[in-house]
Amino acid sequence: MERALAIGGNPSSVHGQGRAARAEVEQAREAVAALAGARAQDVVFTSGGTEANALALWGAAQGAMEAGTRITRLFVSAIEHDSVLANAAALAERAPGLRLETIPVTSDGVVDLDALRALLREGKGRALVAVMAANNETGVVQPIADVAALLKEHEGYLLVDAVQAIGKIPFAASTADYVSLSAHKLGGPQGVGALVVREGAPLAATIRGGGQERGHRAGTENVAGIAGFGAAAKVATPLPAALRDRFEAELRSAVPDVVIFGEKTTRLPNTSNFALPAVGAETAVMALDLEGVMVSSGSACSSGKVKPSHVLHAMSVPESIARSALRVSFGWNSTDQDVDAAISAISQLQSRVRSRAAA
Ligand code: PLP
């Protein structure tokens, strides 16, 4: 990234500095494509996963229309990231004749394939289906190959938000028409991501201007950010699950009534989403932070109101338990000492809360 910043040239300029900047962007494109199992020319750099999801949804709908076809059905899994849910809802409101339906998930947090099959059979018309590769709260890995196979029997396109999966588990973009990626989930910088678009899939630009990114996304490229994304993609290797597994085993012996979400199904190796009954998530996040243990609550906080997770709600987790949900993520630099520190802080917090309740 420092090397790219030092160049300073605009990758669209034809002079030496411009060409050097272009080389940084194109090297990164190769690296990101290799990680995603895609061709370099199919990678469109964006400002992150949010923009990639927005571009896929709006760009597919508009692009199909410009090509003389129409997407009339939009199926979105109930556990998608807000960037998919919010854009899908806004698109359905504005696009005449586009019907939005939610694909339910099982209590393990896996997309319900029978429900999707029924939804696809119910109506007619070209569909756009959005199912993420792995969920950001629970880490539950979704059956993307099965979703793609189901969709083959119908006319439609598949958007896979692979923001959480890429670089952590093997993932190949070839099963989908659109794949969203974000650099900061694999150790790269924030504010850069990509949409991988299958050749022939419709995609109208949502940001128009200078025609960069083969006309799909205008604006001078974030050269340093893109170089950082490429560097992270080059060194990304699937993570082992050993730390997460030890953490959960020790968590269960320290807090026998802990609820671990999605534990019976395949999950990302680095994610643990659990509830400490009787300890509110916001209290836990603050108490653990004081001990140097940084975790997040599964809930989003907006305008002072704590909203329980839509993901746990879709999994039929009672609200009283969802309000205690915490998420711990392990990274490439996490250690056994981190696990010890987290378990010790959680055990202390749990016994403090228990003795206060007893008093
Ligand atoms: N999709 C998923 C599954 C995510 O977890 C996130 C970020 O947390 C995003 C999309 C949004 O990515 P970005 O933060 O790069 O906009």
Side-chain angles (χ1 to χ4, degrees):
M1 289 181 73
E2 285 176 356
R3 188 182 66 211
L5 278 172
I7 296 170
N10 185 325
S12 296
S13 297
V14 292
H15 51 58
Q17 272 189 2
R19 291 199 307 277
R22 170 59 53 199
E24 293 291 349
V25 171
E26 297 314 318
Q27 272 174 35
R29 199 184 307 277
E30 296 276 350
V32 170
L35 180 66
R39 307 181 315 164
Q41 63 264 43
D42 297 337
V43 173
V44 179
F45 285 118
T46 65
S47 65
T50 298
E51 189 193 325
N53 282 327
L55 173 59
L57 289 162
W58 293 92
Q62 180 66 24
M65 210 142 73
E66 287 171 10
T69 55
R70 244 189 145 84
I71 293 172
T72 54
R73 305 187 293 159
L74 181 54
F75 300 109
V76 171
S77 95
I79 56 167
E80 293 301 296
H81 186 263
D82 279 339
S83 56
V84 169
L85 296 178
N87 280 292
L91 179 60
E93 254 176 41
R94 286 165 184 76
L98 182 76
R99 228 178 72 219
L100 172 63
E101 306 246 22
T102 303
I103 316 163
V105 298
T106 65
S107 57
D108 286 330
V110 182
V111 136
D112 185 335
L113 289 169
D114 291 335
L116 175 58
R117 185 178 295 110
L119 281 170
L120 283 167
R121 279 190 187 148
E122 245 168 42
K124 283 205 171 63
R126 201 174 293 263
L128 175 57
V129 176
V131 176
M132 65 202 327
N135 183 260
N136 45 304
E137 291 184 25
T138 59
V140 170
V141 174
Q142 302 299 320
I144 295 304
D146 296 333
V147 172
L150 270 182
L151 199 51
K152 275 222 164 76
E153 298 162 21
H154 302 265
E155 266 191 318
Y157 304 105
L158 175 60
L159 161 61
V160 176
D161 176 342
V163 163
Q164 291 290 337
I166 200 84
K168 294 179 190 144
I169 54 171
F171 177 83
S174 55
T175 44
D177 299 285
Y178 310 94
V179 176
S180 309
L181 308 174
S182 177
H184 69 108
K185 304 297 178 185
L186 55 127
Q190 288 127 341
V192 59
L195 182 69
V196 180
V197 186
R198 185 185 55 73
E199 190 182 15
L203 190 75
T206 53
I207 301 177
R208 296 182 176 82
Q212 289 90 346
E213 296 296 293
R214 295 190 304 124
H216 292 311
R217 200 275 190 181
T220 300
E221 295 88 341
N222 169 7
V223 180
I226 289 171
F229 190 4
K234 263 188 209 153
V235 298
T237 44
L239 291 170
L243 284 182
R244 194 273 314 274
D245 291 348
R246 181 164 88 79
F247 170 78
E248 288 187 349
E250 295 193 10
L251 179 64
R252 195 169 285 291
S253 45
V255 186
D257 55 350
V258 67
V259 181
I260 301 176
F261 303 112
E263 67 175 329
K264 292 198 202 83
T265 188
T266 312
R267 285 179 296 159
L268 293 175
N270 76 316
T271 307
S272 183
N273 190 206
F274 57 91
L276 301 171
V279 186
E282 304 309 314
T283 311
V285 169
M286 285 186 275
L288 295 177
D289 188 41
L290 289 174
E291 302 297 319
V293 177
M294 286 164 276
V295 305
S296 59
S297 63
S299 53
C301 203
S302 63
S303 61
K305 268 187 165 168
V306 177
K307 187 176 95 193
S309 148
H310 70 276
V311 174
L312 297 181
H313 178 73
M315 291 163 66
S316 306
V317 173
E319 198 175 316
S320 55
I321 296 178
R323 285 195 182 276
S324 296
L326 295 175
R327 182 183 56 174
V328 175
S329 308
F330 299 88
W332 55 271
N333 56 354
S334 299
T335 63
D336 273 311
Q337 287 74 26
D338 294 333
V339 173
D340 297 340
I343 293 293
S344 151
I346 290 170
S347 307
Q348 282 172 32
L349 169 66
Q350 183 75 14
S351 45
R352 267 203 315 274
V353 170
R354 287 253 149 93
S355 51
R356 223 175 285 147

